[in-house]
Amino acid sequence: GSLQPQLVFFHDGFIRKSDTKYSEHSTNKNTHVTNAVSQSSKDHFFNFTYLNHALHSEMDFPLEYIARAREYLKKVTLFMFHTARVQPQPLGRIKGRWHIFGVDWMIDQYGHIHLLEGNGYPLVSHYPGIGLTPRVWQEMTDLILDIHTNPSSLNSRFTVKSNYKYGGWTLIFNELEEAYNLKNGQGYNPCNVFPQEV
């Protein structure tokens, strides 16, 4: 949302399905790389609601699996952001600028979530039939414009603690809120975010 001050938002995104049934022994790249250009576009993109239904009906995952997984994805995304903040070359801090990242995940047969990679400047495109685009991009653009040109139009409860949302975008980090938390001994600590059993 913003690099100065730093404001980070999270959105569900979409699911991509492989043309090929998964096998760990397969040599077909389509089995493992779902964004390969050789994948069929038919029934390729799905939203999180469909994924939740498919995991429940086909893998017997609990119905609340995606709701729990979403919270975990937010935590890992926030951890990645904090990691980027302390790198030798951290994200630039220029007023009026913002950056978008796409994060790729994989879910195994046991429901464990694996981080694959993060991509700077992901493709902004239309993904038909899943109720995501172009709405997700329109909301993102409106949010960024409001933050940088009309911040008074935003809800006064613009905090992570208040679970602030703008359409499908959820605020997961607010640098001003974090400064307040640090003064009160409640700053970000990954040891408190991730319990030992994760």
Side-chain angles (χ1 to χ4, degrees):
S2 170
L3 292 172
Q4 180 65 21
Q6 290 176 326
L7 302 170
V8 182
F9 288 82
F10 173 92
H11 198 287
D12 279 356
F14 56 86
I15 313 303
R16 301 182 80 153
K17 185 178 74 173
S18 172
D19 287 341
T20 309
K21 187 174 181 179
Y22 178 78
S23 168
E24 60 182 314
H25 305 294
S26 175
T27 58
N28 185 337
K29 70 176 182 179
N30 283 5
T31 303
H32 306 281
V33 186
T34 58
N35 62 352
V37 294
S38 54
Q39 294 276 5
S40 169
S41 59
K42 182 180 179 181
D43 295 329
H44 182 57
F45 294 101
F46 297 97
N47 57 32
F48 275 40
T49 301
Y50 173 88
L51 177 64
N52 195 55
H53 172 75
L55 291 176
H56 178 67
S57 61
E58 298 175 21
M59 304 289 291
D60 201 29
F61 280 29
L63 280 173
E64 68 276 9
Y65 174 81
I66 286 297
R68 294 202 321 260
R70 180 182 290 112
E71 295 309 307
Y72 182 72
L73 297 180
K74 290 178 184 177
K75 290 178 181 179
V76 177
T77 300
L78 183 58
F79 176 78
M80 293 171 61
F81 166 72
H82 278 285
T83 301
R85 295 182 85 198
V86 297
Q87 294 302 305
Q89 291 185 329
L91 293 172
R93 295 176 62 82
I94 304 173
K95 193 172 182 179
R97 297 279 183 92
W98 58 278
H99 199 115
I100 180 172
F101 288 91
V103 184
D104 295 341
W105 314 87
M106 182 181 73
I107 300 172
D108 67 24
Q109 61 185 330
Y110 305 108
H112 300 146
I113 301 172
H114 305 273
L115 169 65
L116 298 180
E117 63 177 353
N119 299 293
Y121 305 106
L123 179 66
V124 175
S125 184
H126 178 49
Y127 307 108
I130 60 173
L132 179 68
T133 58
R135 176 176 47 83
V136 61
W137 307 126
Q138 292 170 340
E139 289 177 351
M140 180 186 74
T141 303
D142 291 342
L143 171 60
I144 291 166
L145 286 173
D146 282 346
I147 288 172
H148 293 284
T149 65
N150 192 22
S152 62
S153 68
L154 299 170
N155 190 305
S156 60
R157 297 178 65 84
F158 193 82
T159 63
V160 176
K161 184 176 181 179
S162 300
N163 197 32
Y164 180 83
K165 296 181 184 295
Y166 191 103
W169 295 88
T170 302
L171 181 67
I172 62 172
F173 180 81
N174 180 335
E175 186 176 22
L176 304 178
E177 182 181 4
E178 176 72 358
Y180 174 82
N181 291 339
L182 284 169
K183 287 182 180 179
N184 291 278
Q186 299 175 344
Y188 178 80
N189 184 338
C191 294
N192 296 331
V193 173
F194 296 99
Q196 291 182 359
E197 62 268 19
V198 172

